[in-house]
Amino acid sequence: MTQPASPARPAEPKTAPASPPSALKTLRLDVRTLSLLGVLAALIVVGGITQPDSFLDTDNVQLILTQASVIGVVTVGMTFVIISGGIDLSVGAIVALASCWATTVATQEYGFIGILFTAVVVGVGCGLVNGVLIAYGGMVPFIATLAMLAAGRGLAEQITDGKTQVVTVDSVLKLGERDAYVLGIPPLVLVFAAVTIVGWLVLNRTTFGRRSVAVGGNAEAARLAGIDVRRQRLYLYLLSGLCCGIAAFLLIVLAGSGQNTNGNLYELDAIAAAIIGGTLLTGGRGTIVGSVLGVLIFTTITNIFALNNLQSDVQEIAKGAIIVAAVLVQRRTANTHS
């Protein structure tokens, strides 16, 4: 006997394929980057109009880039921490402590390598303490890094006794001189560029970067996916400490000295630059390129204000307004795409 034919299934309605989330994300990042470039271009125009003889001068451009280098290196590390859902209020104090420790008479006896090694080790050591307290001690990042801020500043003042420690190592001082420039680019700017490139590659092309974003987006989901969240957070604060150590060495080269007031308000500048660049304070999203553009925008604003003899309090008010505007834009964007 022949089996009855099974009824034909109704054809499933065809739907247009949805746009890839990654493509939409890339589009939003490109728009944000172009917006930041537009703001930076507008500032350059303003500077050129208000101070045409001095702002666009080669020496002034080199000064802007050099000043951006120190806080820029700190901001790269801060961006990773914020992307992971954390915060580091101690970066300024770590820079101060590292610069003071690396410029003691005992350290300078070991020359260039001794100063560089000490600055980096002190930075990484402070990052290790922050990471252990937060990742394995269960402390809130705000509290742990605030404690490091206070301890770092106090220890820096104790080391220097409130005095400026002058660097006498010629090989360190020569890095800040014009003879050390490479094709007209100061060595500090080259270091900043190298840190930026490495940071971009790590965030966008490595498993470490993807894990950092995952932890910041949803720590519990990251844990269920097999990511060691505590170890990842420890590594991130170690990275932040490393960036602070490098920045401390750059600051020693730039200032030719170490003092306990170094790195003042660096934590606020780094956080502000990251926010301007599109890094979410809640974690899970951020870009190195955006953070670097944020640093350049703030440094350019400071330079324009200084050239026009505007008071520092006006600069701080302008920075505060920019930060508020950036956060409001972030909230509006988040609500639109939620």
Side-chain angles (χ1 to χ4, degrees), residues 189-221:
V189 178
L190 294 176
V191 173
F192 176 34
V195 172
T196 299
I197 293 172
V198 172
W200 186 89
L201 291 173
V202 170
L203 180 60
N204 296 281
R205 295 291 185 268
T206 67
T207 304
F208 181 87
R210 290 190 291 271
R211 287 176 177 174
S212 300
V213 175
V215 170
N218 190 321
E220 181 61 21

Coordinates of all heavy atoms in Angstrom, one line a residue, residues 189-221:
V189 N 56.5 62.6 22.8 CA 55.4 62.4 21.9 C 55.5 61.1 21.2 O 54.5 60.4 21.0 CB 55.3 63.6 20.9 CG1 54.2 63.3 19.9 CG2 55.2 64.9 21.6
L190 N 56.7 60.7 20.9 CA 56.9 59.4 20.3 C 56.5 58.2 21.3 O 55.9 57.2 20.9 CB 58.4 59.2 19.9 CG 58.8 60.1 18.7 CD1 60.3 59.9 18.5 CD2 58.0 59.9 17.5
V191 N 56.9 58.4 22.5 CA 56.5 57.4 23.6 C 55.0 57.4 23.7 O 54.4 56.3 23.8 CB 57.2 57.7 24.9 CG1 56.6 56.8 26.0 CG2 58.7 57.6 24.8
F192 N 54.3 58.5 23.7 CA 52.9 58.6 23.8 C 52.2 57.9 22.6 O 51.3 57.2 22.8 CB 52.5 60.1 23.9 CG 51.0 60.3 23.8 CD1 50.1 59.4 24.5 CD2 50.4 61.4 23.2 CE1 48.7 59.6 24.4 CE2 49.1 61.7 23.2 CZ 48.2 60.8 23.8
A193 N 52.8 58.1 21.4 CA 52.2 57.5 20.2 C 52.4 56.0 20.3 O 51.5 55.2 19.9 CB 53.0 58.0 19.0
A194 N 53.6 55.5 20.8 CA 53.8 54.1 20.9 C 52.8 53.4 21.9 O 52.2 52.4 21.7 CB 55.2 53.8 21.4
V195 N 52.6 54.1 23.1 CA 51.7 53.6 24.1 C 50.3 53.6 23.5 O 49.5 52.6 23.7 CB 51.7 54.5 25.3 CG1 50.6 54.1 26.3 CG2 53.1 54.3 26.0
T196 N 49.9 54.6 22.7 CA 48.6 54.6 22.1 C 48.4 53.5 21.2 O 47.3 52.8 21.2 CB 48.4 56.0 21.4 OG1 48.5 57.0 22.3 CG2 47.0 56.0 20.7
I197 N 49.4 53.2 20.3 CA 49.2 52.2 19.3 C 49.1 50.8 20.0 O 48.3 50.0 19.7 CB 50.5 52.2 18.4 CG1 50.4 53.5 17.5 CG2 50.5 51.0 17.5 CD1 51.7 53.7 16.7
V198 N 50.0 50.6 21.0 CA 50.0 49.3 21.7 C 48.6 49.1 22.4 O 48.0 48.1 22.4 CB 51.1 49.2 22.7 CG1 51.0 48.0 23.6 CG2 52.5 49.2 22.0
G199 N 48.1 50.2 23.1 CA 46.8 50.2 23.7 C 45.7 49.8 22.8 O 44.8 49.0 23.1
W200 N 45.7 50.5 21.6 CA 44.7 50.2 20.6 C 44.7 48.7 20.2 O 43.7 48.1 20.1 CB 44.9 51.1 19.4 CG 43.8 51.0 18.4 CD1 42.6 51.7 18.3 CD2 43.7 50.1 17.3 NE1 41.9 51.3 17.3 CE2 42.5 50.3 16.6 CE3 44.6 49.1 16.8 CZ2 42.2 49.6 15.5 CZ3 44.2 48.4 15.7 CH2 43.0 48.6 15.0
L201 N 45.9 48.2 19.9 CA 46.1 46.8 19.5 C 45.6 45.9 20.6 O 44.9 44.9 20.3 CB 47.5 46.5 19.1 CG 48.1 47.2 17.8 CD1 49.6 47.0 17.7 CD2 47.3 46.7 16.6
V202 N 46.0 46.1 21.8 CA 45.6 45.3 22.9 C 44.0 45.3 23.1 O 43.4 44.2 23.3 CB 46.3 45.7 24.2 CG1 45.7 44.9 25.4 CG2 47.8 45.4 24.1
L203 N 43.4 46.4 23.0 CA 42.0 46.5 23.2 C 41.2 45.9 22.0 O 40.2 45.3 22.3 CB 41.6 48.0 23.4 CG 40.1 48.3 23.6 CD1 39.6 47.6 24.9 CD2 39.8 49.8 23.7
N204 N 41.7 46.1 20.8 CA 40.9 45.7 19.7 C 41.3 44.4 19.0 O 40.5 43.9 18.2 CB 40.9 46.9 18.6 CG 40.3 48.1 19.1 OD1 39.0 48.3 19.2 ND2 41.1 49.1 19.5
R205 N 42.5 43.9 19.3 CA 43.0 42.8 18.5 C 43.5 41.6 19.4 O 44.1 40.7 18.9 CB 44.2 43.2 17.6 CG 43.8 44.2 16.5 CD 42.9 43.5 15.5 NE 42.7 44.4 14.4 CZ 41.6 45.2 14.3 NH1 40.7 45.2 15.3 NH2 41.4 46.0 13.2
T206 N 43.2 41.7 20.7 CA 43.6 40.6 21.6 C 42.5 40.1 22.4 O 41.5 40.8 22.6 CB 44.8 41.1 22.5 OG1 44.3 42.0 23.4 CG2 45.9 41.7 21.7
T207 N 42.7 38.9 23.0 CA 41.7 38.3 23.9 C 41.6 39.1 25.2 O 40.5 39.3 25.7 CB 42.1 36.9 24.2 OG1 42.2 36.1 23.0 CG2 41.0 36.2 25.1
F208 N 42.7 39.7 25.6 CA 42.7 40.5 26.8 C 41.7 41.7 26.6 O 41.0 42.0 27.6 CB 44.1 41.1 27.0 CG 44.2 41.9 28.3 CD1 44.5 41.3 29.5 CD2 44.1 43.3 28.2 CE1 44.6 42.1 30.6 CE2 44.2 44.1 29.3 CZ 44.5 43.5 30.6
G209 N 41.8 42.3 25.5 CA 40.8 43.5 25.2 C 39.4 43.0 25.2 O 38.5 43.7 25.8
R210 N 39.1 41.9 24.6 CA 37.7 41.4 24.5 C 37.2 41.0 25.9 O 36.1 41.3 26.3 CB 37.6 40.3 23.6 CG 37.8 40.6 22.1 CD 37.4 39.5 21.2 NE 38.4 38.4 21.3 CZ 39.5 38.3 20.5 NH1 39.8 39.3 19.7 NH2 40.4 37.3 20.6
R211 N 38.1 40.5 26.7 CA 37.7 40.1 28.1 C 37.5 41.3 28.9 O 36.6 41.4 29.8 CB 38.8 39.3 28.7 CG 38.9 37.8 28.2 CD 40.1 37.1 28.8 NE 40.1 35.7 28.3 CZ 41.1 34.9 28.6 NH1 42.1 35.3 29.3 NH2 41.1 33.6 28.1
S212 N 38.3 42.4 28.7 CA 38.0 43.6 29.5 C 36.7 44.2 29.2 O 36.0 44.7 30.1 CB 39.1 44.7 29.1 OG 40.4 44.2 29.4
V213 N 36.3 44.2 27.9 CA 35.0 44.7 27.5 C 33.9 43.9 28.1 O 32.9 44.4 28.6 CB 34.9 44.8 26.0 CG1 33.5 45.2 25.6 CG2 35.9 45.8 25.4
A214 N 34.1 42.6 28.0 CA 33.1 41.6 28.6 C 32.9 41.8 30.0 O 31.7 41.8 30.5 CB 33.5 40.2 28.3
V215 N 33.9 42.0 30.8 CA 33.8 42.2 32.3 C 33.1 43.5 32.6 O 32.3 43.5 33.5 CB 35.2 42.2 32.9 CG1 35.1 42.6 34.4 CG2 35.9 40.8 32.8
G216 N 33.4 44.5 31.8 CA 32.7 45.8 32.0 C 31.2 45.7 31.6 O 30.4 46.4 32.2
G217 N 30.9 45.0 30.5 CA 29.5 44.9 30.1 C 28.6 44.1 31.0 O 27.5 44.5 31.4
N218 N 29.1 42.9 31.5 CA 28.4 42.1 32.4 C 29.3 41.1 33.1 O 29.7 40.1 32.5 CB 27.2 41.3 31.7 CG 26.3 40.7 32.6 OD1 26.7 40.1 33.6 ND2 25.0 40.7 32.3
A219 N 29.7 41.4 34.3 CA 30.8 40.6 34.9 C 30.3 39.2 35.2 O 31.0 38.2 35.1 CB 31.1 41.3 36.3
E220 N 29.0 39.0 35.6 CA 28.5 37.7 35.8 C 28.4 36.8 34.6 O 28.8 35.7 34.6 CB 27.1 37.8 36.5 CG 26.5 36.5 36.8 CD 27.3 35.7 37.9 OE1 28.1 36.3 38.6 OE2 27.1 34.4 37.9
A221 N 28.0 37.5 33.5 CA 28.0 36.7 32.2 C 29.4 36.4 31.8 O 29.6 35.3 31.2 CB 27.3 37.6 31.1

